[in-house]
Short mmCIF file of all heavy atoms in Angstrom, two decimals:
data_model
loop_
_atom_site.label_atom_id
_atom_site.label_comp_id
_atom_site.label_asym_id
_atom_site.label_seq_id
_atom_site.Cartn_x
_atom_site.Cartn_y
_atom_site.Cartn_z
N LYS A 358 -19.22 11.93 11.61
CA LYS A 358 -20.09 12.34 10.50
C LYS A 358 -20.48 11.11 9.71
O LYS A 358 -21.69 10.92 9.37
CB LYS A 358 -19.40 13.33 9.60
CG LYS A 358 -20.23 13.80 8.41
CD LYS A 358 -19.46 14.81 7.55
CE LYS A 358 -20.24 15.21 6.33
NZ LYS A 358 -19.47 16.18 5.48
N LEU A 359 -19.52 10.25 9.39
CA LEU A 359 -19.81 9.05 8.59
C LEU A 359 -20.69 8.08 9.38
O LEU A 359 -21.55 7.38 8.80
CB LEU A 359 -18.51 8.35 8.20
CG LEU A 359 -17.60 9.11 7.25
CD1 LEU A 359 -16.30 8.33 7.00
CD2 LEU A 359 -18.30 9.38 5.94
N SER A 360 -20.51 8.03 10.69
CA SER A 360 -21.31 7.08 11.51
C SER A 360 -22.79 7.44 11.53
O SER A 360 -23.63 6.58 11.83
CB SER A 360 -20.77 7.05 12.94
OG SER A 360 -21.05 8.25 13.63
N ALA A 361 -23.11 8.67 11.16
CA ALA A 361 -24.49 9.11 11.10
C ALA A 361 -25.07 9.06 9.68
O ALA A 361 -26.19 9.51 9.46
CB ALA A 361 -24.63 10.54 11.67
N SER A 362 -24.26 8.55 8.76
CA SER A 362 -24.68 8.50 7.36
C SER A 362 -25.83 7.53 7.13
O SER A 362 -25.96 6.55 7.83
CB SER A 362 -23.49 8.10 6.47
OG SER A 362 -23.88 7.89 5.13
N SER A 363 -26.63 7.81 6.09
CA SER A 363 -27.67 6.89 5.72
C SER A 363 -27.12 5.76 4.89
O SER A 363 -27.83 4.73 4.69
CB SER A 363 -28.76 7.61 4.92
OG SER A 363 -28.19 8.21 3.74
N ASP A 364 -25.88 5.88 4.40
CA ASP A 364 -25.26 4.85 3.62
C ASP A 364 -24.65 3.79 4.55
O ASP A 364 -23.86 4.14 5.45
CB ASP A 364 -24.16 5.42 2.71
CG ASP A 364 -23.51 4.36 1.87
OD1 ASP A 364 -24.04 4.05 0.79
OD2 ASP A 364 -22.45 3.83 2.31
N PRO A 365 -24.99 2.50 4.38
CA PRO A 365 -24.51 1.48 5.32
C PRO A 365 -22.99 1.32 5.35
O PRO A 365 -22.42 1.06 6.41
CB PRO A 365 -25.18 0.22 4.86
CG PRO A 365 -25.61 0.47 3.44
CD PRO A 365 -25.90 1.92 3.38
N THR A 366 -22.32 1.49 4.21
CA THR A 366 -20.86 1.34 4.20
C THR A 366 -20.20 2.49 4.91
O THR A 366 -19.32 2.28 5.77
CB THR A 366 -20.37 1.26 2.74
OG1 THR A 366 -20.96 0.17 2.06
CG2 THR A 366 -18.84 1.10 2.74
N ALA A 367 -20.62 3.71 4.62
CA ALA A 367 -20.05 4.90 5.30
C ALA A 367 -20.33 4.78 6.79
O ALA A 367 -19.46 5.13 7.62
CB ALA A 367 -20.64 6.17 4.73
N ARG A 368 -21.53 4.33 7.15
CA ARG A 368 -21.89 4.22 8.57
C ARG A 368 -20.99 3.20 9.30
O ARG A 368 -20.53 3.47 10.41
CB ARG A 368 -23.34 3.83 8.69
CG ARG A 368 -23.92 3.96 10.09
CD ARG A 368 -25.44 3.97 10.09
NE ARG A 368 -26.01 2.73 9.52
CZ ARG A 368 -26.70 2.68 8.39
NH1 ARG A 368 -26.92 3.79 7.66
NH2 ARG A 368 -27.18 1.53 7.94
N TRP A 369 -20.72 2.07 8.63
CA TRP A 369 -19.83 1.05 9.25
C TRP A 369 -18.41 1.62 9.41
O TRP A 369 -17.79 1.47 10.47
CB TRP A 369 -19.79 -0.18 8.39
CG TRP A 369 -18.79 -1.17 8.91
CD1 TRP A 369 -18.95 -2.06 9.92
CD2 TRP A 369 -17.39 -1.28 8.51
NE1 TRP A 369 -17.78 -2.75 10.16
CE2 TRP A 369 -16.81 -2.28 9.31
CE3 TRP A 369 -16.61 -0.63 7.53
CZ2 TRP A 369 -15.48 -2.68 9.19
CZ3 TRP A 369 -15.27 -1.03 7.41
CH2 TRP A 369 -14.74 -2.04 8.23
N ILE A 370 -17.92 2.29 8.36
CA ILE A 370 -16.58 2.88 8.42
C ILE A 370 -16.50 3.87 9.59
O ILE A 370 -15.55 3.87 10.38
CB ILE A 370 -16.21 3.57 7.08
CG1 ILE A 370 -15.98 2.51 6.00
CG2 ILE A 370 -14.97 4.46 7.26
CD1 ILE A 370 -15.82 3.09 4.60
N GLY A 371 -17.48 4.74 9.69
CA GLY A 371 -17.49 5.75 10.72
C GLY A 371 -17.58 5.18 12.11
O GLY A 371 -16.80 5.54 13.00
N LYS A 372 -18.51 4.24 12.32
CA LYS A 372 -18.69 3.67 13.67
C LYS A 372 -17.44 2.89 14.12
O LYS A 372 -17.07 2.99 15.30
CB LYS A 372 -19.93 2.77 13.67
CG LYS A 372 -21.25 3.55 13.65
CD LYS A 372 -22.42 2.58 13.78
CE LYS A 372 -23.73 3.37 13.87
NZ LYS A 372 -24.92 2.47 14.03
N ASP A 373 -16.84 2.17 13.20
CA ASP A 373 -15.65 1.40 13.58
C ASP A 373 -14.52 2.33 13.91
O ASP A 373 -13.80 2.09 14.89
CB ASP A 373 -15.24 0.46 12.42
CG ASP A 373 -14.15 -0.48 12.80
OD1 ASP A 373 -14.42 -1.42 13.58
OD2 ASP A 373 -13.00 -0.26 12.38
N ALA A 374 -14.37 3.41 13.16
CA ALA A 374 -13.29 4.37 13.45
C ALA A 374 -13.55 5.12 14.76
O ALA A 374 -12.62 5.31 15.54
CB ALA A 374 -13.16 5.36 12.28
N VAL A 375 -14.81 5.50 14.99
CA VAL A 375 -15.14 6.16 16.28
C VAL A 375 -14.80 5.26 17.45
O VAL A 375 -14.24 5.71 18.45
CB VAL A 375 -16.64 6.54 16.32
CG1 VAL A 375 -17.03 6.95 17.73
CG2 VAL A 375 -16.93 7.68 15.35
N ARG A 376 -15.12 3.98 17.29
CA ARG A 376 -14.86 3.01 18.39
C ARG A 376 -13.38 2.99 18.76
O ARG A 376 -13.02 3.03 19.93
CB ARG A 376 -15.33 1.61 17.96
CG ARG A 376 -15.23 0.56 19.07
CD ARG A 376 -15.73 -0.80 18.56
NE ARG A 376 -17.09 -0.70 18.04
CZ ARG A 376 -17.39 -0.87 16.76
NH1 ARG A 376 -16.45 -1.11 15.85
NH2 ARG A 376 -18.65 -0.79 16.36
#
Side-chain angles (χ1 to χ4, degrees):
K358 179 181 179 181
L359 295 177
S360 69
S362 172
S363 60
D364 181 85
T366 301
R368 192 163 60 246
W369 175 83
I370 289 171
K372 286 185 175 181
D373 188 73
V375 168
R376 186 179 304 113

